[in-house]
Amino acid sequence: MPSGGFAGMFTVTWLPTELKVAYWIWLIGGLLGLLGGVIGLFGSFVLLAVAPGLGFVVLLLVLVALGLAAAQVILAMKMKEGREWARFALTIVAGISLLLAILNANAAEGRGGGNWPSFVISLVATVLMWLPNSQAWFASLRGRS
């Protein structure tokens, strides 16, 4: 649970503007990922009935995606609390987003596929977390518990 309870998830008044924007990007992206994962679960259950082998693989991928989306939401909340390790972890999430965009584009073979918009959004959020004003905010919190 975020500090301040559920309402604390929506309180960002003390953050620098760059981190406010980055936080909302990560949080909304994670929540949309959770929504997409829940919808994907239903699709995988249908696929399990029609093609059990493929359905099982899709179900596993959807469960992994749900886990990553949940982790993104939690990491965004921890980053908002000033945890530098969460900022590093979200940077890694952006790197994974790049890898997935490349893999998806290669798999689409010119059919216009790819997760490039998702990567660009992750990249923007990541850059905002590392700008000087954000760096100064994290530095001001070092040593506090």
Side-chain angles (χ1 to χ4, degrees), residues 105-124:
N106 288 338
E109 295 177 9
R111 291 188 297 264
N115 288 341
W116 293 111
S118 173
F119 166 67
V120 170
I121 291 169
S122 297
L123 178 64
V124 168

Side-chain angles (χ1 to χ4, degrees), residues 37-55:
V38 170
I39 293 168
L41 274 178
F42 292 120
S44 65
F45 292 150
V46 170
L47 194 55
L48 271 170
V50 177
L54 181 60

